[in-house]
Amino acid sequence: MTRGLGMRLLLLCLLTGCTSSPQWTPRPVVTERPTPAVSGPSGPTSPASPTSTAPTIPAASGAIDVNSYDSAHFASPTGRIWCALYAEWALCHFPNGMDTSRVPSPDEVCPGAELDVTGVSLVEKADYFCSGGAEALPQTNGEYVGWWKHAKLPSVAYDGQKLAVLPYGRKVAKGPWVCESAKSGVTCGNTTTGKGFRVALAGVTLIG
């Protein structure tokens, strides 16, 4: 509980301008509430998986190694899904137009924060987070896409911005953390714990 509360306080502090630093490293507001689960092919998954095939944690084999970078931010090839991979956590924002019928309310995820539920993060387990803006910043002119420039991958124009793309069928890995891009959505997970999530237009699936 302390860790989740600390993250919420940090984000609220940043949003209200209580720090004098002009730059900040985005972090999600992570809850510590239990997630109901049912059994799936790879263990427990969230109820009523929105995809026809239950997702599994991507293997690190064949992934782009981003261990030499502080983080790896990227967008899906459509530009709709924005994700970020760090040494100790991963997150993805909901794409515009996503089915949010199974997404819990802000009162459940971040009571009293007066923020919206905007995505899913994975620290010790996968869960929803609240924010007042984007925590993933995959703009090609930003500071979080050095890995993408080195890999010489394509970009996409979306909503007036040029975004670094992780193409379908490609993966990025940092330590035990792996994210994979596919037409069915972006799946991120921890290969050590078996915890993860998939974000897609069809909705969110929590793994493990």
Side-chain angles (χ1 to χ4, degrees), residues 55-137:
T56 57
I57 303 300
S61 59
I64 300 169
D65 186 340
V66 297
N67 281 296
S68 60
Y69 298 92
D70 176 67
S71 62
H73 292 225
F74 64 88
S76 64
T78 63
R80 286 178 178 266
I81 305 174
W82 294 18
C83 302
L85 185 65
Y86 285 83
E88 297 181 348
W89 53 289
L91 68 86
C92 285
H93 279 273
F94 300 151
N96 289 333
M98 189 191 85
D99 177 7
T100 59
S101 60
R102 293 186 177 89
V103 173
S105 70
D107 288 340
E108 296 177 79
V109 178
C110 52
E114 297 184 0
L115 297 170
D116 295 324
V117 182
T118 60
V120 179
S121 64
L122 174 66
V123 183
E124 295 176 354
K125 67 183 182 67
D127 212 339
Y128 298 93
F129 68 84
C130 297
S131 72
E135 272 82 24
L137 304 170

Side-chain angles (χ1 to χ4, degrees), residues 57-61 122 173-178 188-196:
I57 303 300
S61 59
L122 174 66
K174 188 172 177 63
W177 307 86
V178 183
C188 295
N190 186 305
T191 57
T192 300
T193 66
K195 307 291 186 180

